[in-house]
Amino acid sequence: MSPGPRTAASYRWLIVVGAGFVLMLMVRGFLVQSYFIPSGSMEPTLQPNDRLLVNKVGVESALRRGDLVVFDGTRAFANETDYVKRVVGLPGDHVVCCDAADLLTVDGTAVKEPYLYPGDRSSDSTFDVTVPAERIWVMGDHRSDSADSRAHLGDPGGGMVQLDDVIGRVAMIYWPPSRAGVPGAADSLENILATNAPERHK
């Protein structure tokens, strides 16, 4: 017995829905990925148990200071774990901490960081680095509780993350619903970009 018109239509509908679901999973894996925040190293911007959508498209060519990025820490931090941190220095940047006002400076410009965890300094440890080509300098917003580029200055690569280890940029927090939204911009870092020649960051 052949299926009736209603049954045939139901089969077609199931095939379309199934194909759409498979396509969504493929797109999700290639273009967008979900991540879970397990620690407080990025507080208050990102909090433990936040779930993020990370944009994996065109990351290397479009990174800006202040971006929140997810990266593979295998080479930079000698730890086979994905991390999320804030981009503070791009290739060619001179990043120093701290100046007389206890502020981080990038290429000689003092950076006010309203996203820092309340009560934290720009850094409890001092550093003076120039970011090599094809690498970035990253820091957590909870500076007193973040093992970031500063903690790996003595490692091969000096704590700098290679651009091709960057998985993507944080696009939004989607869970819990009470925190859903796009993390605030880091204007004080982003605006430094306009003072530098673009070719330095290629």
Side-chain angles (χ1 to χ4, degrees):
M1 179 186 297
S2 61
R6 185 181 298 275
T7 305
S10 298
Y11 284 142
R12 285 195 297 272
W13 181 82
L14 286 172
I15 291 170
V16 169
V17 170
F21 182 71
V22 171
L23 180 60
M24 181 191 73
L25 291 177
M26 291 176 63
V27 169
R28 180 172 175 261
F30 286 114
L31 306 181
V32 178
Q33 193 164 340
S34 175
Y35 281 88
F36 170 78
I37 299 296
S39 75
S41 69
M42 283 299 297
E43 289 182 308
T45 308
L46 304 176
Q47 297 184 8
N49 301 319
D50 280 353
R51 292 186 181 273
L52 316 174
L53 287 181
V54 173
N55 179 6
K56 300 169 68 176
V57 180
V59 178
E60 290 184 35
S61 61
L63 274 185
R64 301 169 299 177
R65 295 187 201 89
D67 281 348
L68 303 178
V69 295
V70 173
F71 60 92
D72 178 351
T74 304
R75 288 192 288 183
F77 293 179
N79 191 328
E80 295 182 5
T81 301
D82 293 342
Y83 290 83
V84 58
K85 302 293 178 190
R86 188 178 298 276
V87 176
V88 173
L90 293 170
D93 282 349
H94 183 206
V95 186
V96 178
C97 196
C98 297
D99 67 5
D102 206 29
L103 296 176
L104 183 82
T105 67
V106 179
D107 288 347
T109 300
V111 180
K112 293 183 178 180
E113 300 182 277
Y115 44 76
L116 290 186
Y117 187 82
D120 270 10
R121 303 173 56 209
S122 297
S123 178
D124 289 330
S125 59
T126 59
F127 54 87
D128 184 334
V129 298
T130 297
V131 185
E134 302 301 318
R135 294 177 184 261
I136 55 175
W137 175 268
V138 297
M139 300 175 75
D141 289 356
H142 193 168
R143 296 285 159 81
S144 62
D145 190 32
S146 176
D148 47 42
S149 288
R150 298 168 298 163
H152 297 275
L153 279 166
D155 294 350
M160 315 289 183
V161 176
Q162 297 190 36
L163 287 175
D164 57 8
D165 285 337
V166 177
I167 296 166
R169 288 181 293 178
V170 174
M172 67 176 295
I173 301 166
Y174 71 88
W175 192 266
S178 60
R179 288 187 40 75
V182 178
D187 294 338
S188 55
L189 279 169
E190 291 177 5
N191 291 339
I192 297 173
L193 185 61
T195 68
N196 294 329
E199 58 268 21
R200 292 187 61 190
H201 306 294
K202 289 182 179 177

Coordinates of all heavy atoms in Angstrom, one line a residue, residues 75-115:
R75 N 49.7 26.1 22.9 CA 51.1 26.7 22.6 C 51.5 27.8 23.5 O 52.6 27.8 24.1 CB 51.2 27.1 21.1 CG 51.2 25.9 20.2 CD 51.6 26.3 18.8 NE 50.5 27.1 18.1 CZ 50.6 27.5 16.8 NH1 51.7 27.2 16.1 NH2 49.6 28.1 16.3
A76 N 50.6 28.8 23.7 CA 50.9 30.0 24.4 C 51.1 29.7 25.9 O 52.0 30.2 26.6 CB 49.9 31.1 24.2
F77 N 50.1 28.9 26.5 CA 50.1 28.7 27.9 C 50.4 27.3 28.3 O 50.3 26.9 29.5 CB 48.7 29.0 28.4 CG 48.3 30.5 28.3 CD1 47.1 30.9 28.8 CD2 49.2 31.4 27.8 CE1 46.7 32.2 28.7 CE2 48.8 32.8 27.7 CZ 47.5 33.2 28.2
A78 N 50.9 26.5 27.3 CA 51.3 25.1 27.6 C 50.2 24.3 28.3 O 50.4 23.5 29.2 CB 52.6 25.0 28.3
N79 N 48.9 24.6 27.9 CA 47.8 23.9 28.6 C 46.7 23.7 27.5 O 46.3 24.6 26.8 CB 47.2 24.9 29.7 CG 46.2 24.2 30.5 OD1 45.5 23.3 30.1 ND2 46.2 24.6 31.8
E80 N 46.4 22.4 27.4 CA 45.4 22.0 26.3 C 44.0 22.4 26.8 O 43.1 21.6 26.9 CB 45.5 20.5 26.0 CG 46.9 20.2 25.4 CD 46.9 18.7 25.1 OE1 45.9 18.0 25.2 OE2 48.0 18.2 24.7
T81 N 43.8 23.7 26.9 CA 42.5 24.2 27.3 C 42.2 25.4 26.5 O 43.1 26.2 26.1 CB 42.5 24.6 28.8 OG1 42.8 23.4 29.6 CG2 41.2 25.2 29.3
D82 N 40.9 25.7 26.2 CA 40.5 26.9 25.6 C 40.3 28.0 26.6 O 39.7 27.7 27.7 CB 39.2 26.7 24.8 CG 39.4 25.8 23.6 OD1 40.6 25.6 23.2 OD2 38.4 25.3 23.1
Y83 N 40.8 29.2 26.4 CA 40.7 30.3 27.3 C 39.8 31.4 26.7 O 39.8 31.5 25.4 CB 42.0 30.9 27.6 CG 42.9 30.0 28.4 CD1 43.7 29.0 27.9 CD2 43.0 30.2 29.8 CE1 44.5 28.2 28.6 CE2 43.9 29.4 30.6 CZ 44.6 28.4 30.0 OH 45.4 27.6 30.7
V84 N 39.2 32.3 27.5 CA 38.6 33.5 27.0 C 39.3 34.7 27.8 O 39.4 34.6 29.0 CB 37.1 33.5 27.2 CG1 36.7 33.3 28.7 CG2 36.5 34.8 26.6
K85 N 39.8 35.6 27.0 CA 40.5 36.8 27.6 C 40.2 38.0 26.7 O 39.7 37.9 25.6 CB 42.0 36.6 27.7 CG 42.5 35.4 28.5 CD 42.2 35.5 30.0 CE 42.6 34.3 30.7 NZ 42.1 34.3 32.1
R86 N 40.7 39.2 27.2 CA 40.5 40.4 26.4 C 41.8 40.7 25.7 O 42.9 40.6 26.3 CB 40.2 41.6 27.4 CG 39.8 42.9 26.7 CD 39.4 44.0 27.6 NE 38.3 43.6 28.5 CZ 37.0 43.8 28.1 NH1 36.8 44.3 26.9 NH2 36.0 43.5 28.9
V87 N 41.7 41.1 24.4 CA 42.9 41.5 23.6 C 43.3 42.9 24.1 O 42.5 43.9 24.0 CB 42.5 41.6 22.1 CG1 43.8 42.1 21.3 CG2 42.1 40.2 21.6
V88 N 44.5 43.0 24.6 CA 45.1 44.3 25.1 C 46.1 44.8 24.1 O 46.2 46.0 23.9 CB 45.6 44.2 26.5 CG1 46.4 45.4 26.9 CG2 44.5 43.8 27.5
G89 N 46.9 43.9 23.5 CA 48.0 44.3 22.6 C 47.9 43.6 21.3 O 47.7 42.4 21.3
L90 N 47.9 44.3 20.2 CA 48.0 43.8 18.8 C 49.4 43.7 18.4 O 50.3 44.3 19.0 CB 47.2 44.6 17.9 CG 45.6 44.7 18.1 CD1 45.0 45.8 17.3 CD2 45.0 43.3 17.8
P91 N 49.7 43.0 17.2 CA 51.1 42.9 16.7 C 51.7 44.3 16.6 O 51.1 45.2 16.0 CB 50.9 42.2 15.4 CG 49.7 41.4 15.5 CD 48.8 42.2 16.4
G92 N 52.9 44.5 17.2 CA 53.6 45.8 17.1 C 53.3 46.7 18.2 O 54.1 47.7 18.4
D93 N 52.3 46.4 19.1 CA 52.0 47.3 20.2 C 53.1 47.2 21.3 O 53.6 46.1 21.6 CB 50.7 46.9 20.8 CG 49.5 47.4 20.0 OD1 49.7 48.3 19.1 OD2 48.4 47.0 20.3
H94 N 53.3 48.3 22.0 CA 54.2 48.4 23.1 C 53.3 48.5 24.4 O 52.6 49.5 24.5 CB 55.1 49.6 23.0 CG 56.1 49.6 24.2 ND1 56.7 50.8 24.5 CD2 56.7 48.7 25.0 CE1 57.5 50.6 25.6 NE2 57.5 49.3 25.8
V95 N 53.2 47.4 25.2 CA 52.3 47.4 26.3 C 53.1 47.4 27.6 O 54.0 46.6 27.8 CB 51.4 46.1 26.2 CG1 50.4 46.1 27.3 CG2 50.7 46.0 24.9
V96 N 52.8 48.3 28.5 CA 53.5 48.5 29.7 C 52.6 48.7 30.9 O 51.5 49.3 30.8 CB 54.4 49.8 29.6 CG1 55.2 50.0 30.9 CG2 55.4 49.7 28.4
C97 N 53.0 48.2 32.0 CA 52.3 48.4 33.3 C 53.3 48.5 34.4 O 54.1 47.6 34.5 CB 51.3 47.3 33.5 SG 50.0 47.8 34.7
C98 N 53.2 49.5 35.2 CA 52.1 50.5 35.1 C 52.8 51.9 35.1 O 53.9 52.0 35.4 CB 51.1 50.4 36.2 SG 50.2 48.8 36.3
D99 N 52.0 52.9 34.7 CA 52.6 54.3 34.7 C 52.4 54.9 36.1 O 52.0 54.2 37.0 CB 51.9 55.1 33.6 CG 50.4 55.4 33.9 OD1 49.9 55.1 34.9 OD2 49.8 56.1 33.0
A100 N 52.8 56.2 36.2 CA 52.7 56.8 37.5 C 51.3 56.9 38.1 O 51.2 56.9 39.4 CB 53.3 58.3 37.4
A101 N 50.3 56.8 37.3 CA 48.9 56.8 37.8 C 48.4 55.4 37.9 O 47.2 55.2 38.1 CB 48.1 57.6 36.8
D102 N 49.3 54.4 37.9 CA 48.9 53.0 38.0 C 48.0 52.5 36.9 O 47.2 51.6 37.1 CB 48.3 52.8 39.4 CG 48.4 51.3 39.9 OD1 49.4 50.7 39.5 OD2 47.5 50.8 40.6
L103 N 48.2 53.1 35.7 CA 47.4 52.7 34.6 C 48.3 51.9 33.6 O 49.5 52.1 33.4 CB 46.8 53.9 33.9 CG 45.8 54.7 34.6 CD1 45.4 55.9 33.8 CD2 44.6 53.9 35.0
L104 N 47.6 51.0 32.9 CA 48.2 50.3 31.7 C 48.4 51.3 30.6 O 47.6 52.2 30.4 CB 47.3 49.2 31.3 CG 47.7 48.2 30.2 CD1 48.5 47.1 30.7 CD2 46.4 47.6 29.6
T105 N 49.5 51.2 29.8 CA 49.7 52.0 28.7 C 49.9 51.1 27.4 O 50.6 50.1 27.5 CB 50.9 53.0 28.8 OG1 52.1 52.3 28.8 CG2 50.8 53.8 30.0
V106 N 49.4 51.6 26.3 CA 49.6 50.9 25.0 C 50.1 51.9 24.1 O 49.4 53.0 23.8 CB 48.2 50.3 24.5 CG1 48.5 49.6 23.1 CG2 47.7 49.3 25.5
D107 N 51.3 51.7 23.6 CA 52.0 52.7 22.7 C 52.0 54.1 23.3 O 51.8 55.1 22.6 CB 51.3 52.7 21.3 CG 51.6 51.5 20.5 OD1 52.5 50.7 20.9 OD2 50.9 51.3 19.5
G108 N 52.2 54.1 24.6 CA 52.4 55.4 25.3 C 51.1 56.0 25.8 O 51.1 57.1 26.4
T109 N 50.0 55.5 25.4 CA 48.6 56.0 25.8 C 48.1 55.3 27.0 O 48.0 54.1 27.0 CB 47.6 55.9 24.6 OG1 48.1 56.6 23.5 CG2 46.3 56.4 25.0
A110 N 47.8 56.0 28.0 CA 47.2 55.4 29.3 C 45.8 55.0 29.0 O 45.0 55.6 28.3 CB 47.3 56.5 30.4
V111 N 45.5 53.8 29.5 CA 44.2 53.2 29.3 C 43.4 53.1 30.5 O 43.8 52.5 31.5 CB 44.4 51.7 28.7 CG1 43.0 51.1 28.4 CG2 45.2 51.8 27.4
K112 N 42.2 53.8 30.6 CA 41.3 53.6 31.7 C 40.5 52.4 31.4 O 40.0 52.2 30.3 CB 40.4 54.8 31.8 CG 41.2 56.1 32.2 CD 40.3 57.3 32.4 CE 41.1 58.5 32.9 NZ 40.2 59.7 33.0
E113 N 40.3 51.5 32.4 CA 39.7 50.2 32.2 C 38.5 50.0 33.1 O 38.6 49.4 34.1 CB 40.7 49.1 32.4 CG 41.9 49.2 31.5 CD 42.9 48.0 31.7 OE1 43.7 48.1 32.6 OE2 42.8 47.0 31.0
P114 N 37.3 50.6 32.7 CA 36.1 50.5 33.6 C 35.6 49.1 33.7 O 34.8 48.8 34.6 CB 35.1 51.4 32.8 CG 35.6 51.4 31.4 CD 37.1 51.3 31.5
Y115 N 36.1 48.1 32.9 CA 35.6 46.8 32.9 C 36.3 45.9 34.0 O 36.0 44.7 34.2 CB 35.8 46.1 31.5 CG 37.1 46.4 30.9 CD1 38.3 45.8 31.3 CD2 37.2 47.4 29.9 CE1 39.5 46.1 30.7 CE2 38.4 47.7 29.3 CZ 39.6 47.0 29.7 OH 40.8 47.3 29.1

